[in-house]
Amino acid sequence: MKKITAFVMAALFSSFALHAEELTAKQLSENAVAKKSPEKAIEYLNSQIGTMTVPAEKRAAYAFLASVQENIARYSDAQKSYAAAASIAGGNAEGMPKKSSERLVLDAIRCALSEGDWENAENYLNSAVRNSKNPEIQAQIKLYEQWSALCKAESQNDLIEPVAMLKAYLQIPSLEPVKRQILLTLWFLTGEKEYSASLSKEYPKSAECEIINGNVQLYPAPFWYFTPRKQPAKSADNKIVVEKVSAVNKEEVFAAPEAKKDESAPAPAKEEKPKKHQLGLFRDKSNAQNFVSQLNDKGFTAYIQEETRNSGTVYYSVVIDENAAGNMSDKIRSAGFECYPVF
């Protein structure tokens, strides 16, 4: 009897010890930041999250994983990770950003739209988040509904209703939390300077204002770039800011909350060099071909790569191979184009 009792106590002690050694979300994020690349960080996070048993920690770890995936444009994976985090009933993990499940669902919607997946975006929009009592959440839902409609737009006629809705939204006080995004969207769609002027006047220090001034590039999100525009979008001083469809260089910077740098740690391994650079992403092949011709006229050797998404939609990516000197991105930007690396 004493032997059995001793065995049970030993087993219990072992179980408690294992639980005590389980990594927290904060520790997991710090370890991920120490990896030599975002891809290695994602690989590490995926290998560890499945072993976590504390709901709050697992929820925070999924949210952190999603943020890393989103930052390197892995939108499909990011939306799944945000949704996984939102589905876990748990509080906030110590040392990690505090986010409600509703906010996490909105993050999933944003990532779905960023890869042109309006079907999943609308599925999320029609989930329990629609019953939110938070007015800011409701404002974001209304904006994302219109962005989803833009994501589906195939012609100028498809723009009539979402543009009309967005114009009406400018007059609704409860939508003030998303007014900057509404103004930017209307400016981008119509090219009308009244919207850029409003941004400059009402939100002079906003990121949206920096975009209309040409100081900040839009992310290569399909719900922007696949939308038919009436005319080039111009800033308040009549400068064309968005004339062609182009991607943006996305230098990956991700940091764990309250993470401290270990000065004694060895220098990280050298980053993998990109194999090519993406300059544009199109749903209309003729537009991609026109952009290729424009690049080739500037002395580049650009070409098209086709990609079929889960929805069955085919996208056309315009790319240029990296050169032996490894400075192709500098040449592309010197010629007036934006790009982001493809590894």
Side-chain angles (χ1 to χ4, degrees), residues 23 32 43 46 48 85 103 109 128-129 132 160 172 180 205 225 236 244 246 251 269 287 329 332:
L23 291 174
E43 182 181 341
N46 277 322
Q48 296 296 315
R103 292 285 181 187
I109 295 169
V129 72
S132 173
I160 295 174
I172 301 176
R180 290 173 301 155
K205 296 183 179 180
Y225 290 116
K244 59 185 179 296
S246 63
E251 297 179 357
N287 288 339
S329 63
I332 291 170

Side-chain angles (χ1 to χ4, degrees), residues 7-22 53-54:
F7 176 78
V8 171
M9 292 299 293
L12 286 172
F13 179 82
S14 176
S15 174
F16 290 143
L18 287 173
H19 182 75
E21 292 173 4
E22 183 178 305
T53 60
V54 180

